[in-house]
Amino acid sequence: MEFNSTLELLESDPKSRAYFNSLPANVQKQLLDRYTGAKSFEELRVFGDDLRTHI
């Protein structure tokens, strides 16, 4: 399933919400500030993993 935004994904997909909640607060903030277009869990995970390696 594809969503329109990161916020919609987090609100609608329990797997994405659980992954997001497992991330450090600074990575969560960056995801919400910079990666607002994650349309699937896979995109969210790629963005989150990338941020964790660069922060």
Side-chain angles (χ1 to χ4, degrees), residues 1 8 12-13 18 21 28 34-35 39 45 47 51:
M1 180 175 258
E8 183 180 311
S12 302
D13 182 45
N21 288 338
Q28 289 179 4
R34 295 176 46 199
Y35 295 101
K39 296 181 182 345
R45 187 182 51 75
F47 295 155
L51 283 169

Side-chain angles (χ1 to χ4, degrees), residues 9 15 22 25-26 36 38 40 51 55:
L9 175 65
K15 183 177 178 180
S22 75
N26 61 334
T36 59
S40 67
L51 283 169
I55 290 182

Side-chain angles (χ1 to χ4, degrees), residues 4-45:
N4 293 321
S5 70
T6 301
L7 285 177
E8 183 180 311
L9 175 65
L10 294 174
E11 290 171 356
S12 302
D13 182 45
K15 183 177 178 180
S16 295
R17 173 55 81 175
Y19 171 75
F20 180 82
N21 288 338
S22 75
L23 296 170
N26 61 334
V27 174
Q28 289 179 4
K29 182 174 179 356
Q30 287 292 319
L31 275 172
L32 294 176
D33 289 348
R34 295 176 46 199
Y35 295 101
T36 59
K39 296 181 182 345
S40 67
F41 169 74
E42 290 76 23
E43 282 187 6
L44 182 69
R45 187 182 51 75

